Amino acid sequence: CTSVVAEDTSGKLIHARNMDFGLFLGWDVKNNSWMVTELLRPLAVNVNFQRNNKTVFLSTSFAGYVGMLTGLKPGVLTLTMNERFSLDGGYIGVLEWILGIRQGAWMSFLTRSVLENATSYDEAKTLLSKTVLLAPAYFILGGNKSGEACVITRSRQSCLDIWELDIQKGQWYVLETNYDHWKPPLPIDNRRAPAMKCLNRTTQKNISFATIYDMLSTKPVLNKLTTYTTLMSVSESKFEAYLRDCPHPCMPW
Amino acid sequence: QDVPPYTEDCRSGTYPPSGPTYQGNIPWYTVNLDQAPRERWQKIIADKKQPLTAMIQQIKDLVKFFFHGEKLIDLVDTKLPALLGNLPPPFDEEMKGIAEASGLPLGEVMLFNIFYEVFTV
């Protein structure tokens, strides 16, 4: 996955993501594609969750999957979750849960709960950084005001880091793939550098849905695992999502 | 670049989306949180029953391949539903509703929902 929150020169935030999933889950030699990724695309749905006929939050999700990985709460926040691979991974948490040790929260259930119930950026940040989880994760959170964006790096038990926007220091975007931002990515899976190159070339004054979609369409940020791209803006109440494909030649991840 | 890692110069002019990297818009649905959790997903599942069944079959095939046999899937079908009550509401009831609407075994719907957690290895 690649998630980004960027702030334009007027202080408005744009949050976007490529959803990548299905690595090593069956390679279709004939079609040069990942089988699970191909099967996920037709399941992608945008959902308007309503209560009392009013929108509570919007989400891009998969039919049959009740947790959330991408969402916008109107006027309040935007949230995406990226996988964080670890030896102390979710399979241990799931095993513990099956064996009766159940203090950890399911990641995508927590994300949905935050989208449904959090009333502010700060409340969401606290919930996402302090709740014990079943699996490690990156939460990419955007608020509704200038400077309100961060990447929360989580282990199952604790919050390892909160990386925030810092406009004063020229940090006008935060970008997360699937590696801790303070460490280099795996050399054979470096989507971070191409994504940053495109954003830096775009510059803050030209950032928009169009230029972020351009960045998310550039290989290898766009790759064989990409199922959808979602673009969100709290301040302009905009939520757009598109099914993606990366025709050959294209990186498998 | 025609050899791996197939990088390219920063794209421009791709928006509004079109061309070979764009496969279409994602359809919109409404989920009414005032409805009983079992009923919330019925419209979506009615429309997506076939691709959901195909997806879960693929996950089962992978599990069989990695663990050499049907035993683990049998456990998923027979033992996992008993743990559903330990999931926080409304997720437990929503999964029951999805299983009912799709005709898929409840354990397999649960497997699909925990797949992302398991995959972080």
Side-chain angles (χ1 to χ4, degrees), chain A residues 172-185:
Chain A
W172 57 273
Y173 66 84
V174 286
L175 184 138
E176 178 58 56
T177 57
N178 300 96
Y179 301 93
D180 297 345
H181 72 89
W182 60 94
K183 294 178 186 167

Side-chain angles (χ1 to χ4, degrees), chain A residues 17 19 59-62 65 67-71 79-82 108 111 115 228, chain B residues 116:
Chain A
R17 71 114 28 106
M19 175 69 196
S59 177
T60 309
S61 186
F62 296 111
Y65 191 80
M68 296 296 132
L69 306 171
T70 306
L79 177 59
T80 56
M81 190 181 78
N82 287 11
S108 59
T111 307
L115 284 164
Y228 66 74
Chain B
Y116 203 84

Side-chain angles (χ1 to χ4, degrees), chain A residues 16-235:
Chain A
R17 71 114 28 106
N18 272 357
M19 175 69 196
D20 302 350
F21 191 76
L23 183 65
F24 302 135
L25 297 178
W27 178 254
D28 182 342
V29 179
K30 196 172 147 198
N31 296 311
N32 279 311
S33 61
W34 295 105
M35 290 176 190
V36 165
T37 310
E38 293 297 311
L39 290 166
L40 275 174
R41 283 198 191 102
L43 287 175
V45 286
N46 285 328
V47 185
N48 183 340
F49 287 85
Q50 294 188 343
R51 190 173 282 130
N52 299 325
N53 287 323
K54 284 186 182 160
T55 297
V56 179
F57 66 98
L58 307 171
S59 177
T60 309
S61 186
F62 296 111
Y65 191 80
V66 299
M68 296 296 132
L69 306 171
T70 306
L72 175 150
K73 188 170 179 98
V76 181
L77 60 89
T78 51
L79 177 59
T80 56
M81 190 181 78
N82 287 11
E83 273 190 304
R84 180 169 181 263
F85 300 103
S86 166
L87 281 176
D88 183 18
Y91 68 103
I92 295 177
V94 171
L95 272 177
E96 285 181 355
W97 185 85
I98 287 170
L99 295 171
I101 306 164
R102 301 198 176 106
Q103 74 268 45
W106 298 80
M107 296 183 298
S108 59
F109 294 175
L110 175 64
T111 307
R112 176 167 157 189
S113 169
V114 166
L115 284 164
E116 205 168 323
N117 302 312
T119 54
S120 70
Y121 170 80
D122 287 328
E123 184 187 354
K125 193 160 78 170
T126 302
L127 284 167
L128 295 167
S129 56
K130 298 213 166 140
T131 308
V132 174
L133 297 172
L134 283 185
Y138 300 105
F139 294 111
I140 301 90
L141 177 67
N144 59 10
K145 290 199 283 282
S146 170
E148 284 189 342
C150 65
V151 175
I152 299 167
T153 302
R154 285 296 313 266
S155 69
R156 294 198 300 122
Q157 298 294 336
S158 63
C159 176
L160 302 178
D161 182 72
I162 300 179
W163 178 33
E164 309 212 42
L165 272 189
D166 192 344
I167 302 295
Q168 305 303 324
K169 290 184 181 163
Q171 178 86 48
W172 57 273
Y173 66 84
V174 286
L175 184 138
E176 178 58 56
T177 57
N178 300 96
Y179 301 93
D180 297 345
H181 72 89
W182 60 94
K183 294 178 186 167
L186 206 62
I188 58 165
D189 182 28
N190 189 353
R191 285 163 284 129
R192 185 197 295 168
M196 288 177 66
K197 185 175 101 178
C198 295
L199 288 176
N200 292 340
R201 192 180 286 183
T202 300
T203 71
Q204 188 183 11
K205 72 175 165 46
N206 293 314
I207 208 70
S208 65
F209 269 26
T211 51
I212 287 187
Y213 189 85
D214 283 339
M215 178 273 284
L216 292 170
S217 302
T218 301
K219 297 173 192 175
V221 183
L222 181 77
N223 58 71
K224 293 276 185 190
L225 292 167
T226 309
T227 54
Y228 66 74
T229 297
T230 300
L231 304 161
M232 304 180 280
S233 166
V234 161
S235 53

Side-chain angles (χ1 to χ4, degrees), chain A residues 52 90 107 112 198 214 240, chain B residues 10 14-15 34 94 117 120:
Chain A
N52 299 325
M107 296 183 298
R112 176 167 157 189
C198 295
D214 283 339
E240 299 177 8
Chain B
C10 298
T14 62
Y15 186 91
D34 294 320
E94 289 188 4
E117 262 84 1
T120 51

